[in-house]
Amino acid sequence: LRRYGFRAVYAAGGLANSLTFLLISFAPQLWFIYAIFFASAGMQASWMVSGALIPRHMPVKEATRYGAFAVTGSGIGTVCWANLARVMLPTLGWRASFRVLAAAFAVLYALGALFQKPPKPIAESDMSIDS
């Protein structure tokens, strides 16, 4: 995060996530799907940035509350995406459904990276483990 910045890491995670879903839509066998999910780090990279940004933008007293909202939003998002996939599967099939999800993730991550405000710089003393 320090080397490339929050926006670049978030955008790279979004790109990896979208490419993961796109690659899965071309899977010839089930093992390929498992291998792609195992090898990708898109969702993890974007979640890491999101979790790290919350305390940087909020007062210390409110950072925990907003972090809890973010974790709750993650669960709600999972439920929403699963229901969207359930609706798309009978009409589009699983391959096209993964492609639609890949496009939706790409748009959402691009918007998220675009509208991210740079966080306030923190002092080196605040970053050390010993303090």
Side-chain angles (χ1 to χ4, degrees):
L1 286 173
R2 286 186 204 165
R3 177 183 245 180
Y4 298 107
F6 287 94
R7 186 175 293 178
V9 173
Y10 186 83
L15 179 64
N17 184 15
S18 298
L19 286 176
T20 297
F21 275 74
L22 186 62
L23 281 174
I24 285 173
S25 73
F26 295 105
Q29 295 176 340
L30 185 60
W31 69 266
F32 187 79
I33 295 173
Y34 289 126
I36 292 298
F37 263 123
F38 181 73
S40 77
M43 294 178 128
Q44 292 81 7
S46 60
W47 175 246
M48 176 183 64
V49 173
S50 301
L53 276 176
I54 292 169
R56 301 274 304 272
H57 285 290
M58 305 293 165
V60 175
K61 289 183 177 183
E62 296 180 6
T64 306
R65 181 174 2 146
Y66 286 106
F69 286 142
V71 172
T72 304
S74 173
I76 292 170
T78 302
V79 170
C80 292
W81 286 111
N83 282 321
L84 178 63
R86 184 181 55 83
V87 169
M88 288 189 304
L89 277 172
T91 56
L92 300 177
W94 72 272
R95 289 183 190 276
S97 296
F98 268 100
R99 290 177 187 144
V100 168
L101 290 174
F105 280 132
V107 168
L108 291 173
Y109 278 110
L111 288 173
L114 182 67
F115 290 115
Q116 240 179 44
K117 293 188 289 186
K120 296 179 231 169
I122 56 176
E124 282 293 321
S125 61
D126 292 343
M127 292 204 242
S128 69
I129 298 172
D130 299 329
S131 56

